[in-house]
Amino acid sequence: MAREKRTEQLFVTVPSFFRCPISMDVMKSPVSLCTGVTYDRSSIEKWLALGHNTCPATMQTLPSTNTTPNLTLRRLIHLWISQADITPAISKQEAADVINGEFDSNSLTKMIGFINSSEENLKFVALSNHAVPKLVEAFAKSDSMRVLELIVEVLDLISMENAVREKLNELILKSDGITDYLSSFNLVLQKGNTESKVKSARILELMAVNSDSQRKIAEKAGLLHELYSLCSVETETSAVEAGLSALLAISTSRSVKKELIRFGMVKTVGKILSGYDYSSAVRAVIEKSLKMLEMVATCTEGRGAISEDRECVVEIVKRLMKCSRAATEHGITVLWSVCCLARDGTAQENVAKVNGFTRVLLVMQSDCSSNTRLMCGELVKVLREKNMKSNLAPYETKTTHITPY
């Protein structure tokens, strides 16, 4: 019992810089990219193998995808593990016994230790015929929050395997047990720790692979609001990003977008944009926040809510050319939607008052997409008229105050 309590405590008190920014698990082989960010080797190799040429944490384009072992951090992790007296990973036979037995906090903790030990062990569990079905069943039936959190951790670890994602959709989204399963996700998002909430959101995002799964997740009573709360109430960057990512994955219908607008998503995104600094560490959050606004701006209600929120409009303008090309293009699309498509005079004036005319011109002259350049052209025409009517200063060529991304 003492060993179980000590092991459970370790999952709560792991130093944050020992965790991989992608998997959120303790790094076994920490390696650094040229951006200076360190990841677990297996996680970053999967990211790069998918064809990405950016750093996941900063979204900076990588001039080189070479990785350098972070030996100092590896020594620190090994020292922490030895001092924490973490139980060595169980054998494959013991892992098989755990999979075929009853799940409790002790057996699930052993399985997590086994999976974290090697990529081979991860695949052993992920490709097991019984692991995912039994985890799903236990997740639907358990009334222990600790057990639910541990199951979420196991599913998060193995969900990157294609076979697992397919099996999850088959067992959960296309079966009679979907209600109970999604109710358990709801419970974890309501009462679980922040780490479990983040992992739950990630799993739901992976499950939202088609219109059917997106609809079923979005229509589950309370689940949409809990994901919204993750990015509106939680303060940790990882939680905000996970909430936004999951909502972007499932909010494809107009009814869901209208529900998010009713919750106050536009105001929430405005606060996110104004509350975060301009560091590269929060780039993904800013990009997804602006992408969220672009998504809700595709419906009349969304454009109206954005136009009415002066803080949100002002923050969009301030973020142009300050984060990344993707963030800037999302921002331009939103401004075009409210200023040109909706022709909202209040939004036009608010953009003009914060030097939006100059910033849009800068974007137009930058390395942006052709579609973005066309939207910039229409915005320039509208904002030029507002500038002239409000006697604002003409276009100023001194633009060194705007730092390009």
Side-chain angles (χ1 to χ4, degrees):
M1 180 63 70
R3 170 57 62 87
E4 180 180 339
K5 289 183 178 178
R6 183 167 63 250
T7 306
E8 289 185 7
Q9 181 70 13
L10 290 174
F11 286 98
V12 179
T13 58
V14 175
S16 59
F17 57 95
F18 286 178
R19 295 185 183 279
C20 173
I22 297 176
S23 68
M24 296 302 296
D25 295 313
V26 177
M27 290 182 277
K28 296 185 285 292
S29 180
V31 294
S32 300
L33 291 176
C34 57
T35 56
V37 182
T38 300
Y39 303 91
D40 190 51
R41 183 183 296 278
S42 62
S43 296
I44 193 61
E45 285 180 351
K46 284 182 180 178
W47 171 266
L48 297 174
L50 291 173
H52 298 294
N53 66 340
T54 56
C55 172
T58 68
M59 295 312 293
Q60 290 176 268
T61 300
L62 298 172
S64 170
T65 57
N66 293 334
T67 58
T68 303
N70 191 328
L71 301 179
T72 300
L73 184 57
R74 187 171 69 177
R75 282 195 295 270
L76 288 173
I77 292 174
H78 286 174
L79 178 62
W80 173 78
I81 290 174
S82 63
Q83 291 178 341
D85 189 28
I86 294 178
T87 306
I90 57 178
S91 66
K92 284 187 177 181
Q93 182 56 55
E94 290 172 316
D97 292 340
V98 167
I99 292 172
N100 294 320
E102 295 295 323
F103 291 138
D104 55 24
S105 59
N106 185 47
S107 61
L108 288 166
T109 299
K110 290 179 180 179
M111 186 185 293
I112 291 169
F114 174 76
I115 294 171
N116 279 324
S117 295
S118 69
E119 188 74 14
E120 181 184 355
N121 288 354
L122 185 153
K123 290 184 179 297
F124 177 82
V125 175
L127 300 180
S128 165
N129 291 329
H130 305 295
V132 174
K134 288 202 63 180
L135 286 166
V136 169
E137 181 181 1
F139 193 61
K141 294 180 178 179
S142 178
D143 56 3
S144 165
M145 179 53 63
R146 182 56 184 158
V147 169
L148 292 178
E149 288 176 340
L150 290 170
I151 291 175
V152 163
E153 185 161 358
V154 174
L155 290 175
D156 182 64
L157 285 170
I158 64 178
S159 61
M160 290 304 293
E161 293 292 327
N162 290 331
V164 172
R165 291 200 295 273
E166 293 171 1
K167 198 169 292 185
L168 279 173
N169 277 278
E170 178 185 349
L171 292 171
I172 301 161
L173 299 177
K174 298 180 181 179
S175 72
D176 295 333
I178 179 174
T179 302
D180 288 338
Y181 189 87
L182 292 180
S183 292
S184 296
F185 269 125
N186 226 345
L187 188 59
V188 174
L189 287 168
Q190 286 176 350
K191 300 180 180 180
N193 59 43
T194 301
E195 185 178 337
S196 297
K197 292 179 181 180
V198 169
K199 291 178 179 179
S200 294
R202 283 208 302 247
I203 296 169
L204 289 169
E205 179 186 358
L206 287 173
M207 288 162 54
V209 295
N210 52 46
S211 58
D212 184 44
S213 57
Q214 291 159 1
R215 177 181 57 79
K216 288 182 178 179
I217 295 172
E219 290 180 353
K220 175 59 188 174
L223 194 52
L224 192 67
H225 190 270
E226 291 306 323
L227 289 172
Y228 165 72
S229 296
L230 194 59
C231 51
S232 62
V233 177
E234 294 287 339
T235 56
E236 290 192 19
T237 304
S238 60
V240 176
E241 183 183 352
L244 288 170
S245 293
L247 288 172
L248 285 168
I250 66 177
S251 305
T252 54
S253 69
R254 181 174 179 177
S255 60
V256 176
K257 294 172 188 176
K258 288 172 66 176
E259 190 72 357
L260 288 178
I261 295 164
R262 188 180 67 82
F263 290 157
M265 178 55 79
V266 171
K267 187 170 291 294
T268 292
V269 170
K271 290 179 179 178
I272 292 173
L273 294 176
S274 63
Y276 282 84
D277 57 25
Y278 289 83
S279 68
S280 58
V282 297
R283 184 167 295 176
V285 173
I286 302 304
E287 285 183 356
K288 288 171 183 176
S289 296
L290 291 167
K291 187 175 182 180
M292 174 63 69
L293 289 178
E294 180 181 347
M295 184 187 71
V296 300
T298 57
C299 64
T300 305
E301 295 83 358
R303 292 191 290 273
I306 295 169
S307 299
E308 293 171 4
D309 194 318
R310 181 184 182 280
E311 178 186 19
C312 185
V313 172
V314 169
E315 289 301 325
I316 294 171
V317 176
K318 288 181 179 179
R319 291 289 176 173
L320 297 179
M321 301 287 287
K322 284 288 188 178
C323 180
S324 66
R325 172 176 170 172
T328 294
E329 294 192 346
H330 292 319
I332 288 293
T333 304
V334 178
L335 294 178
W336 176 86
S337 296
V338 296
C339 294
C340 300
L341 182 60
R343 289 284 174 180
D344 189 279
T346 302
Q348 293 170 356
E349 290 176 3
N350 287 331
V351 172
K353 286 178 181 177
V354 288
N355 206 23
F357 178 64
T358 300
R359 288 177 179 268
V360 171
L361 274 173
L362 285 169
V363 176
M364 191 175 181
Q365 296 165 11
S366 70
D367 182 26
C368 61
S369 68
S370 57
N371 192 45
T372 299
R373 190 168 289 109
L374 287 173
M375 287 189 283
C376 285
E378 293 186 33
L379 280 166
V380 165
K381 292 177 184 177
V382 170
L383 297 176
R384 181 185 289 118
E385 294 176 6
K386 288 294 176 181
N387 273 357
M388 293 175 65
K389 289 180 181 180
S390 56
N391 294 318
L392 294 176
Y395 173 55
E396 175 60 59
T397 57
K398 295 179 180 179
T399 57
T400 54
H401 61 287
I402 298 179
T403 305
Y405 38 82

